[in-house]
Amino acid sequence: MQGGQDAAAIFVERWNEAASFSQTGNCPVRNVLDKIGDKWSMLIVMYLAAGPKRFNQLHREIPDISQKMLTQTLRDLQRDGLVARQVFDTKPPSVEYRLTALGHSLIVPFGQLIAWANESIDSIHAARKSFDQAALA
Amino acid sequence: MQGGQDAAAIFVERWNEAASFSQTGNCPVRNVLDKIGDKWSMLIVMYLAAGPKRFNQLHREIPDISQKMLTQTLRDLQRDGLVARQVFDTKPPSVEYRLTALGHSLIVPFGQLIAWANESIDSIHAARKSFDQAALA
DNA sequence: CGGCATCCCATTCGATACTG
DNA sequence: CAGTATCGAATGGGATGCCG
């Protein structure tokens, strides 16, 4: 619990610190959380965790993603230094994406969160069920 | 890296599993990630990590949150069993919110993520800067 | 193959006003 | 004090079509 309190304090502090100059939208925490909550960012990172992949390879493997969002999300990840883009001068040209060292380092803490999600999902569903039933009263 | 690969595999597996019955929107990972990415959910959790707080106390302490979003986010957190709501029958009535055991347990893995964000934000900003400059060419 | 540009709809969220 | 209700602007993201 001690570590939790520290994390909470840091989180709140950083957030409020950002609120003072929020015009710039420069909150370090929000910057990262926006990617986490993004519909596709983390899914792509997790697919790339297994190794480098080509653009259309990702497009085929990831269910339901549109070409637009795949392109856009890859650009954002590249811009943040989480993903590296390499063009091969073949014909037709091929482009390979891979995680950078920074991208790989994100998998560790993010994996903790996924583990928590899988452990807690039953409790969450149970809580929702009882909450919704209580609301019917 | 081994742990990272495992996490990635679990993540992708769970996601694809959900895609098959995606009509119901029942992906365990998305359920949690939506809360993480939510603009206010995690901020509220972090404020409550320090101890129970009343509604207006949260409203005053959290910068820029509207009454609507505070209410709505607290309801969602309560529904998922992360936050408990207790009404005191005083006059005027007061309502206290506190983290449940489940809510507290989220702070640990989420704290890891915040720590990563704070460690990596400089690298991210640097990557953005060089990316944007390269784009000007 | 690997994109980019455009249109358009759904959801999110802030502002404001009202209630027990 | 602790909400609820309604409106409207901004945003996210899918569908489609074109290009080097």
Side-chain angles (χ1 to χ4, degrees), chain B:
Chain B
M1 190 80 74
Q2 190 62 30
Q5 294 288 1
D6 292 349
I10 293 175
F11 181 89
V12 167
E13 178 195 342
R14 286 289 197 158
W15 192 288
N16 290 342
E17 171 189 325
S20 51
F21 57 99
S22 66
Q23 318 299 355
T24 61
N26 256 349
C27 176
V29 176
R30 256 269 64 90
N31 271 313
V32 173
L33 259 53
D34 281 346
K35 287 221 167 321
I36 303 296
D38 187 75
K39 190 170 178 183
W40 302 111
S41 290
M42 286 305 110
L43 185 60
I44 292 178
V45 167
M46 289 324 225
Y47 267 92
L48 288 178
K53 289 182 194 296
R54 304 248 311 265
F55 183 88
N56 274 345
Q57 194 179 354
L58 282 169
H59 197 8
R60 278 190 304 271
E61 292 183 9
I62 300 181
D64 295 333
I65 195 171
S66 67
Q67 200 176 32
K68 171 185 172 181
M69 291 315 295
L70 181 56
T71 301
Q72 191 177 107
T73 308
L74 283 169
R75 280 291 167 286
D76 286 348
L77 291 171
Q78 187 194 352
R79 189 172 107 97
D80 283 7
L82 299 176
V83 160
R85 178 179 185 268
Q86 187 175 8
V87 182
F88 293 95
D89 218 6
T90 57
K91 50 172 181 163
S94 70
V95 179
E96 194 179 81
Y97 292 91
R98 74 181 67 226
L99 289 187
T100 62
L102 188 62
H104 268 112
S105 74
L106 174 56
I107 295 183
V108 179
F110 184 70
Q112 305 283 322
L113 204 63
I114 301 308
W116 183 90
N118 279 314
E119 290 165 14
S120 309
I121 190 64
D122 290 342
S123 303
I124 292 177
H125 279 322
R128 281 185 193 169
K129 189 174 174 182
S130 70
F131 182 92
D132 291 345
Q133 281 185 342
L136 292 180

